[in-house]
């Protein structure tokens, strides 16, 4: 999709440059350039785009690296959470089994608490 949009923008730029063929003289310090208006304007646009990308790119890269680091951290935390859930399920099963054994032996929860507090 982005290639189609890029092609359309490039086509519009070419049409713009062809339709604005009047000569323009540019004076920059001691240099003097004579070129068509369309080429001069498109050159300015391209120079501005490159300058903005040079300013934006370091921030973009830094943010991408932060996102990757945070995604790895989240994956690590999710793995640890799943491990803890597994431990909890195991403990709950063990507790349920112990309660069944106590119930079948006729031991009540109050007797268990009294034994634990001694």
């Amino acid at each position: 999709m982005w290639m189609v949009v890029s092609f359309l923008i490039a086509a519009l730029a070419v049409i713009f440059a062809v339709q604005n063929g009047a000569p323009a003289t540019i004076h920059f310090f001691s240099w003097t350039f004579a070129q068509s208006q369309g080429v001069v304007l498109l050159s300015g646009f391209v120079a501005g785009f490159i300058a903005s990308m040079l300013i934006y790119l370091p921030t973009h890269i830094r943010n991408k690296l932060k996102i990757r680091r945070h995604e790895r951290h989240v994956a690590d935390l999710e793995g640890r959470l799943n491990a803890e859930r597994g431990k909890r399920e195991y403990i709950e099963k063990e507790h349920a089994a112990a309660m069944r054994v106590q119930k079948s032996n006729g031991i009540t929860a109050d007797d268990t608490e009294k034994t634990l507090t001694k």
Side-chain angles (χ1 to χ4, degrees), residues 13 19 26 28-29 37-38 55 61 67 80 87 92 108-109:
Q19 288 181 347
I26 307 297
F28 185 69
F29 294 115
Q37 287 177 344
I55 292 170
I61 291 171
I67 288 169
R80 290 177 20 196
K87 289 178 188 177
E92 286 176 349
T108 63

Side-chain angles (χ1 to χ4, degrees), residues 50-85:
I50 290 171
S52 65
M53 289 306 296
L54 289 175
I55 292 170
Y56 168 74
L57 201 57
T59 302
H60 179 71
I61 291 171
R62 186 173 41 251
N63 289 340
K64 282 286 193 183
L65 293 174
K66 280 183 184 179
I67 288 169
R68 286 185 186 145
R69 187 175 65 240
H70 290 305
E71 285 173 345
R72 283 193 303 266
H73 185 65
V74 166
D76 178 49
L77 291 175
E78 286 175 344
R80 290 177 20 196
L81 177 63
N82 287 334
E84 292 297 323
R85 284 181 178 159

Side-chain angles (χ1 to χ4, degrees), residues 8-23:
L8 289 174
I9 291 173
L12 290 173
V14 168
I15 292 170
F16 175 79
V18 169
Q19 288 181 347
N20 291 290

Side-chain angles (χ1 to χ4, degrees), residues 1-8:
M1 177 67 183
W2 66 271
M3 296 232 1
V4 173
V5 173
S6 298
F7 179 75
L8 289 174

